[in-house]
Amino acid sequence: MTHTTTRRLVLDETAQDLLFRQAHTVDRFTDEPVPDDMVRAVHDLVRNGPTAFNQQPLRLVLLRSPQSRGRLARHLSRGNRDKTVRAPLTALLAVDNHFHRRLPEQFPQFPGAIDLFTGEQGVRERSAMFNGALQAAYFIIGIRAAGLAAGPMSGFDEDGVNGEFFPDGDLSTLLLVNIGRPAPDGARPRGPRLGYDEIRTTL
Amino acid sequence: MTHTTTRRLVLDETAQDLLFRQAHTVDRFTDEPVPDDMVRAVHDLVRNGPTAFNQQPLRLVLLRSPQSRGRLARHLSRGNRDKTVRAPLTALLAVDNHFHRRLPEQFPQFPGAIDLFTGEQGVRERSAMFNGALQAAYFIIGIRAAGLAAGPMSGFDEDGVNGEFFPDGDLSTLLLVNIGRPAPDGARPRGPRLGYDEIRTTL
C-alpha cells in the first residue's frame, strides 16, 4: 500500500521523506544555531500558501534572548519548559487580530473584503485563528524544507503568554515551535495514524 | 533575494515550485477525474503531519455524485457555485467533534489526554478547529504533491452546510476544496504577500 501510494504522487520520494514520512516532532536539538536568514528562507517559501481572501494573519515572534525565553517559560506546561529553554530557537506563532486592515492592498480584486471583518470581533478572530493555523502548518512544512526539525507545542497558558507578550491584545498566540537540528534520539517515535477508510466518506 | 533563499533550503527547487512557488489556487479544472486511489495517496502522505496529542480531528467527505454536489451548492456564495458543481472533485473538510474518544489509542504515552477534552465543549471544539486547520493545510500541500491543484473555499453558509451534511452535530465543516487538474487560465494570478520584515519580530 505505502509503496504504491508513494509512487502515485508527483513529489519525489526524497521530498516526501523530508517533509512528511521521515519527519518527526523533535524535543531535543543540537546546539547549532538557527540564523535569521534561514527563517527568512522558510518564510519566503511558505508565504505563498493560500489563505482566505489572502489575509495572511500569521506573525512570527522569534525568541532568541535568554530573557525572552525566560518570560515564555513561566507560562509553559512543566513538560515543555526545559526543552524550550534549551532549543536553538523558539518561534511564537501569533495572529494579527487586525489583519483586515491590510485586505484592500492584499486582496485588491474584492475591495469589499474588509467589510466582512469590521463587524463582530468574534468573526474576525475566528478567521484569524483558522487561517493562521493554515499558515502555521505551512511554516512547519517550511522548517522541514530547510532541513531543520520542528517541535510544535500547544501546552502553554494561552492567556498568560498573550498577557506577557501582547498586553494590548493586537496579537493572539496560536502555537509555539522549537526549531533546530535534532539531537541523537531527540525525535519522538511516530505515533499511530488513522487510516484512510476511517476518515473518508464518499457521497 | 528569492534566488538566495531558494538555495538556503534543502528541499529541491522542483519540489519548492510544485508545492509553493508555482502552485496556485485554481477556479477552473479540466474534466479529468480524480480517482479515489489518488486521494488515498495524498492522505497516506499528509496523515504524518503533527497535531496536538496526535488528535487528528480531520475528516474528509468526498462529494462525487451530482446529488451531493447539488446539496452543497445551495449553501455556497454565488461566486463559488458554478466552479464547484463543475470541479472533478469537491472535498468537504470537517472535524470530528468527538476526536478525544480516540486519544487513548492514538496518544497512548499520555493516558490522561482524553480528560483534557471531556469538560467544556468549547475547549474541545476549538482544539478540533485549530488542529483540523493544520491538517487541512497539510492536505492542500498533499494535493499539490500529487500533481493536482486545489481550490480551497471559505465562502459558504457554515450553519447551512453543517445542517445539510451533519445534522447530528458530530462533525463541523472547516473548509471546502475543489480538486483537479487546472484548466488553461484556470489558476488565479499570485496575489501580493507580506514581507518577512513585516511579519517577524525578534526578542
Side-chain angles (χ1 to χ4, degrees), chain B residues 37-162:
Chain B
D37 69 338
M38 194 169 264
V39 186
R40 183 185 290 269
V42 169
H43 175 258
D44 183 74
L45 178 70
V46 303
R47 69 177 182 160
N48 294 298
T51 54
F53 303 109
N54 196 26
Q55 65 186 252
Q56 310 168 67
L58 193 71
R59 301 294 179 267
L60 296 181
V61 183
L62 303 182
L63 303 179
R64 291 199 173 275
S65 66
Q67 291 77 8
S68 68
R69 213 71 71 84
R71 288 170 60 198
L72 176 66
R74 71 181 79 125
H75 305 288
L76 296 177
S77 66
R78 186 182 306 266
N80 285 335
R81 259 174 234 164
D82 270 9
K83 66 184 182 190
T84 300
V85 171
R86 290 177 187 166
L89 178 60
T90 300
L92 192 168
L93 275 55
V95 287
D96 179 356
N97 289 319
H98 304 289
F99 69 85
H100 59 303
R101 294 174 184 161
R102 305 293 299 263
L103 288 179
E105 146 219 340
Q106 296 295 315
F107 201 67
Q109 61 267 52
F110 176 32
I114 185 173
D115 303 326
L116 302 175
F117 300 106
T118 47
E120 208 191 322
Q121 186 181 346
V123 170
R124 188 165 69 241
E125 291 186 0
R126 196 155 184 276
S127 186
M129 179 179 144
F130 179 76
N131 287 281
L134 295 179
Q135 289 188 285
Y138 304 145
F139 184 69
I140 290 170
I141 300 297
I143 289 167
R144 293 166 169 188
L148 298 167
M153 297 178 292
S154 58
F156 57 89
D157 171 359
E158 200 174 314
D159 291 341
V161 173
N162 285 336

Side-chain angles (χ1 to χ4, degrees), chain B residues 2-37:
Chain B
T2 295
H3 189 58
T4 309
T5 57
T6 298
R7 290 191 305 178
R8 201 76 171 83
L9 303 174
V10 169
L11 187 71
D12 65 85
E13 292 190 30
T14 303
Q16 292 182 32
D17 286 345
L18 179 71
L19 301 183
F20 288 106
R21 296 191 199 277
Q22 297 298 324
H24 292 272
T25 289
V26 163
D27 285 329
R28 294 187 309 284
F29 301 88
T30 70
D31 291 336
E32 187 179 331
V34 178
D36 194 59
D37 69 338

Side-chain angles (χ1 to χ4, degrees), chain A residues 145-196:
Chain A
L148 298 167
M153 296 178 291
S154 58
F156 56 90
D157 171 0
E158 201 174 314
D159 291 340
V161 173
N162 286 335
E164 182 78 39
F165 291 98
F166 313 121
D168 60 7
D170 282 354
L171 300 180
S172 296
T173 306
L174 283 185
L175 189 68
L176 302 167
V177 186
N178 290 326
I179 306 172
R181 301 212 184 268
D185 304 318
R188 293 188 203 168
R190 168 84 65 228
R193 288 297 188 273
L194 298 176
Y196 185 60

